Amino acid sequence: MKKDLISNDIQLSPEGKLVHLLGLEGLSKKHLTHILNIADGLIDDAGNLKKSKALDDMSVANLFFEPSTRTRNTFEIAGKRTSANIINVDLANSATKKNESLLDTMHTLKAMQIDMFVIRHNQSGLPHHVAENLQGVAILNAGDGINAHPTQALLDMLTIRQHKQSFEDLSVAIIGDIVHSRVAHSDIQALKTLGTKDIRLIAPTGLQYDSEQCASVKCMDDIQAGLKDCDVVMVLRLQKERMLEADIPNEQEYFDSYGLTAERLALAKPDALVMHPGPINRGVEIDSSIADGDQSVILQQVTNGIAVRMAVMEILAGKS
Ligand code: CP
């Protein structure tokens, strides 16, 4: 599966201000650092999330056309913590089931004075299409097909920044189903923008990028070599919902060859972070003892998702 090039051009105003968040391509180090700094400022010294009144005059709609636990709920919590009026649109019982087009549904919700839409969809580029056709609202991409998951990458960068001195000197290994992963795509973009030079993508043939996409990163199939002395290990699940039946690997064989175990993690630096965007499949891409181990920051990633999503909403509202 090859990723189409989807332009994020319309997410910046002519003055370079963020008006939608569609993807991380096109955003500068200054943009990313600003979002991370605002998110940092929303966490107090004890690690607790603060509240703000930034969106107290705004309404936000969550539209999730794909299942989600982390992203949907942390957007809802982030909306509430910034004092927005936030609704989860019940798509299973909406007029889209009576053949209303997505854009007509969106125009209808906009007429209810919604200011911001958070959209997850299995179609790459769908949030971009909405942003092009619905004026006067902000669109936040909460994951589109295999294309992008920008807030996931931003919360991943915030988590790394809380533990490591600089992005420049890091060796980051991303293991697993790279080719179907919008998270990998956005993480690679964020790491490159923030200056990381050693990005290793570890996957079997079939789940790896093609040679063109591998040109600016290190694509490897040898997990031992890929993990050697790295600072951050990001593990991805097998995204079966985006595979053909024939492509789905045998889970036991996959774990035997590419699962993150204690023995394999020992090849990385002793203080290497173990990250996973979730949902995790224990015993498939990661051993349970590693998911729950001392090096795991998986649940910290979840909490950071609230701060990052609050920050992005405040910025799009012009309040930060
Ligand atoms: N990481 C992530 O997108 O998880 P959810 O599918 O639970 O939102």
Side-chain angles (χ1 to χ4, degrees), residues 114-221:
I114 301 289
D115 303 287
M116 238 177 246
F117 289 93
V118 179
I119 304 176
R120 169 169 289 191
H121 203 281
N122 66 5
Q123 196 182 318
S124 297
L126 190 283
H128 308 65
H129 175 69
V130 173
E132 277 161 11
N133 288 284
L134 196 66
Q135 310 306 315
V137 295
I139 305 297
L140 281 118
N141 183 356
D144 63 323
I146 61 165
N147 179 50
H149 196 344
T151 56
Q152 177 68 45
L154 289 163
L155 73 88
D156 289 345
M157 297 307 114
L158 182 65
T159 308
I160 293 173
R161 207 172 76 155
Q162 288 165 343
H163 291 272
K164 302 291 176 190
Q165 297 299 320
S166 85
F167 285 96
E168 278 83 355
D169 303 326
L170 292 181
S171 297
V172 179
I174 307 179
I175 311 171
D177 184 3
I178 308 286
V179 74
H180 300 107
S181 177
R182 56 195 176 206
V183 175
H185 173 228
S186 290
D187 274 329
I188 293 163
Q189 184 60 46
L191 288 164
K192 282 184 185 171
T193 303
L194 293 170
T196 304
K197 289 172 275 300
D198 186 7
I199 303 172
R200 309 168 190 181
L201 308 186
I202 306 166
T205 315
L207 300 182
Q208 184 60 279
Y209 278 167
D210 65 17
S211 54
E212 193 187 321
Q213 291 171 296
C214 285
S216 61
V217 286
K218 295 172 187 164
C219 290
M220 328 168 78
D221 60 7

Side-chain angles (χ1 to χ4, degrees), residues 64 67-72 120 142 149 152 182-183 237 276-279 309:
F64 279 69
S68 167
T69 297
R70 280 145 283 267
T71 313
R72 196 183 90 138
R120 169 169 289 191
H149 196 344
Q152 177 68 45
R182 56 195 176 206
V183 175
R237 88 186 154 88
H276 195 312
R309 290 171 177 129

Side-chain angles (χ1 to χ4, degrees), residues 9-153:
D9 285 355
I10 57 167
Q11 71 185 344
L12 292 177
S13 72
E15 300 76 36
K17 203 169 128 310
L18 199 66
V19 291
H20 305 286
L21 181 66
L22 302 175
L24 300 184
E25 267 107 352
L27 299 189
S28 64
K29 184 173 179 179
K30 197 172 159 193
H31 284 119
L32 300 197
T33 305
H34 179 58
I35 297 170
L36 298 182
N37 289 347
I38 299 293
D40 243 346
L42 289 163
I43 303 170
D44 71 18
D45 292 342
N48 296 316
L49 292 161
K50 298 180 188 170
K51 286 187 176 169
S52 91
K53 295 267 178 224
L55 272 75
D56 66 352
D57 54 350
M58 301 190 84
S59 295
V60 179
N62 260 344
L63 286 112
F64 279 69
F65 295 88
E66 269 191 350
S68 167
T69 297
R70 280 145 283 267
T71 313
R72 196 183 90 138
N73 290 302
T74 56
F75 261 117
E76 183 177 352
I77 293 166
K80 287 179 174 157
R81 292 192 85 90
T82 48
S83 307
N85 170 30
I86 182 153
I87 59 161
N88 290 305
V89 180
D90 179 7
L91 290 164
N93 293 302
S94 75
T96 55
K97 296 287 173 200
K98 298 179 193 164
N99 295 330
E100 185 173 71
S101 77
L102 176 66
L103 277 179
D104 281 335
T105 298
M106 306 279 305
H107 278 290
T108 304
L109 289 164
K110 188 191 162 198
M112 298 176 201
Q113 307 208 327
I114 301 289
D115 303 287
M116 238 177 246
F117 289 93
V118 179
I119 304 176
R120 169 169 289 191
H121 203 281
N122 66 5
Q123 196 182 318
S124 297
L126 190 283
H128 308 65
H129 175 69
V130 173
E132 277 161 11
N133 288 284
L134 196 66
Q135 310 306 315
V137 295
I139 305 297
L140 281 118
N141 183 356
D144 63 323
I146 61 165
N147 179 50
H149 196 344
T151 56
Q152 177 68 45

